[in-house]
Amino acid sequence: MCTGNTDTKFTPSFQPLVTTINEANAATSSSFSFISCESIASDSTRPSTYSTASSGVTLCNQSKLANTLKKRFWKDISVRTSPDGVYTVLLDSRPVRNPQTKVPLPIPPSKSHLATAIAHEWDLLTSAQQALRAHLTPLTSIASRAHDLVLQDATTASSEPSPVSAAPHASRTIRTDIVKTLIPYLDTDTLLCWAPPPPKEGDLTLQVVPSLRDLQVQAAEPIVAYLTSSIWPGVQLNPSLEEGSILPSQQPAETRAIVRGWMSGLNAWELVGLERAVLAGKSLCVGARLICEWGESFKDVRDALTSATSYKEKRFGIEEAAQACSLEVAWQTGRWGEVEDTHDVDKEDLRSQFGSAILAVSGTS
């Protein structure tokens, strides 16, 4: 049950459950003993015994642990606000924790909606085992990812520049890894991969009006126009596939440099939201358009566009992003039908990922 305000301590979903089950015993009056696990693996790799650092060594056989994980050791979920406005999601009296740092997961003061959504996310779980599945806790995972980046950015900013190191990986950070991962999507962007033009002569039975290419161009034009005028002024975004080729062509070097610099300058929450959107939709353009529509840092851009009399485009949200990324799939399934438990699942998962990105980047500031 999700309530208004209380205290809770917890261990996040996809992480090692960093709470003792002795605490859960007191909250649930159950007869089992929950131990602190440094890491909980899958059933096939989980060792048969575990130990805790706080109360000596507690042994727990595999069957007891499995039974424990099948239960939900918390009853109430709430959101607590600290004196400085930071939100913490609580499971009874235990805070949801960052899986990497093991500290309570802080949600910024401007993101009360995200804290509430994370609380509802945990309220939907029926067992501790479900908390280990990232796809069931997308908001907890993206918030934890952003928190990791916030901490690393702060550490990087406070440390003095180090001399050139012999180790090539010495300067690697979460931020540089994200940018390095996302920039190749610009060359294979789903939004810019268009079908070949339909045949002008020959077998007319194979021609469909409008063609898939027509629909793809129609979907891409307003997104590209927005990005090249308001976000990356003057950049050139070319179709990923040249006519008659199945190999993507690289975007101009200037375009890649501008987009890379733009990504590097995003704040932690927006960069992580962009990462989630791009990996879900396989489109850097759609991901950037989505983040700019909802990100706190882009409020001035939105206000300027909204005040322009010529700007009549409605907000770019989950459905618009999903349709732009999956146009070809929708076109093909519209002609040939869907594969049950495949296309329908992918469709909902895509929208879930975009939704978590929007919640992560949006705020009241």
Side-chain angles (χ1 to χ4, degrees):
M1 171 180 165
C2 193
T3 61
N5 269 309
T6 12
D7 241 27
T8 302
K9 193 179 200 168
F10 157 69
T11 113
S13 70
F14 51 101
Q15 81 158 35
L17 286 184
V18 187
T19 44
T20 63
I21 288 194
N22 292 329
E23 294 178 358
N25 280 343
T28 61
S29 300
S30 57
S31 59
F32 60 82
S33 173
F34 208 161
I35 57 166
S36 170
C37 303
E38 187 57 33
S39 178
I40 297 183
S42 62
D43 287 343
S44 60
T45 59
R46 188 179 299 138
S48 59
T49 61
Y50 293 88
S51 64
T52 61
S54 58
S55 58
V57 179
T58 303
L59 298 181
C60 179
N61 60 40
Q62 186 172 351
S63 62
K64 178 179 284 190
L65 180 58
N67 290 334
T68 296
L69 292 176
K70 291 178 182 178
K71 300 178 182 181
R72 170 169 157 160
F73 61 82
W74 64 93
K75 290 183 178 179
D76 297 322
I77 297 91
S78 61
V79 177
R80 179 179 60 192
T81 308
S82 67
D84 57 355
V86 175
Y87 298 100
T88 305
V89 178
L90 304 172
L91 309 182
D92 296 329
S93 61
R94 296 173 292 277
V96 172
R97 295 177 180 270
N98 183 311
Q100 298 297 324
T101 63
K102 310 301 187 294
V103 301
L105 180 63
I107 307 299
S110 65
K111 300 183 184 296
S112 60
H113 59 287
L114 177 60
T116 302
I118 291 175
H120 282 292
E121 184 173 78
W122 280 91
D123 201 27
L124 293 174
L125 300 180
T126 59
S127 70
Q129 194 167 39
Q130 288 186 338
L132 302 174
R133 300 172 184 172
H135 69 281
L136 294 178
T137 55
L139 297 175
T140 305
S141 66
I142 197 171
S144 298
R145 175 77 160 162
H147 182 228
D148 291 339
L149 183 53
V150 167
L151 295 176
Q152 192 172 85
D153 282 348
T155 302
T156 303
S158 62
S159 61
E160 296 182 3
S162 57
V164 178
S165 172
H169 62 278
S171 61
R172 279 189 58 183
T173 63
I174 297 174
R175 179 174 292 274
T176 57
D177 282 348
I178 292 177
V179 173
K180 183 179 179 181
T181 298
L182 298 188
I183 197 66
Y185 282 90
L186 195 61
D187 300 325
T188 59
D189 201 295
T190 299
L191 186 73
L192 302 176
C193 285
W194 302 339
K200 297 180 180 178
E201 324 182 320
D203 190 355
L204 298 180
T205 61
L206 296 179
Q207 297 188 29
V208 179
V209 179
S211 68
L212 173 58
R213 184 184 179 88
D214 292 337
L215 295 175
Q216 290 173 322
V217 173
Q218 183 180 351
E221 284 179 344
I223 297 175
V224 171
Y226 179 94
L227 295 175
T228 55
S229 62
S230 301
I231 308 303
W232 311 321
V235 303
Q236 180 181 353
L237 291 173
N238 301 323
S240 297
L241 297 176
E242 296 181 357
E243 188 172 341
S245 174
I246 62 173
L247 298 177
S249 55
Q250 197 173 72
Q251 295 291 343
E254 297 81 4
T255 297
R256 293 169 61 88
I258 290 173
V259 175
R260 183 184 288 106
W262 174 80
M263 287 193 293
S264 299
L266 292 175
N267 67 43
W269 288 89
E270 286 164 358
L271 182 58
V272 168
L274 177 67
E275 178 188 37
R276 173 69 60 87
V278 173
L279 295 182
K282 306 299 184 290
S283 171
L284 182 52
C285 290
V286 171
R289 179 68 181 88
L290 192 69
I291 299 311
C292 293
E293 183 68 28
W294 298 95
E296 292 182 90
S297 299
F298 298 95
K299 184 178 183 298
D300 292 341
V301 175
R302 295 193 297 271
D303 290 345
L305 286 172
T306 303
S307 62
T309 56
S310 60
Y311 187 75
K312 301 180 186 287
E313 186 180 345
K314 70 174 184 177
R315 297 209 72 173
F316 190 84
I318 296 173
E319 196 59 32
E320 290 74 21
Q323 289 176 2
C325 287
S326 54
L327 236 176
E328 182 174 359
V329 174
W331 192 82
Q332 296 288 3
T333 55
R335 298 187 69 191
W336 312 110
E338 292 185 350
V339 176
E340 189 176 0
D341 292 334
T342 300
H343 290 115
D344 51 345
V345 173
D346 291 344
K347 178 180 177 180
E348 297 306 320
D349 181 67
L350 179 62
R351 285 157 176 77
S352 172
Q353 299 301 324
F354 283 148
S356 65
I358 289 177
L359 285 172
V361 303
S362 58
T364 57
S365 63

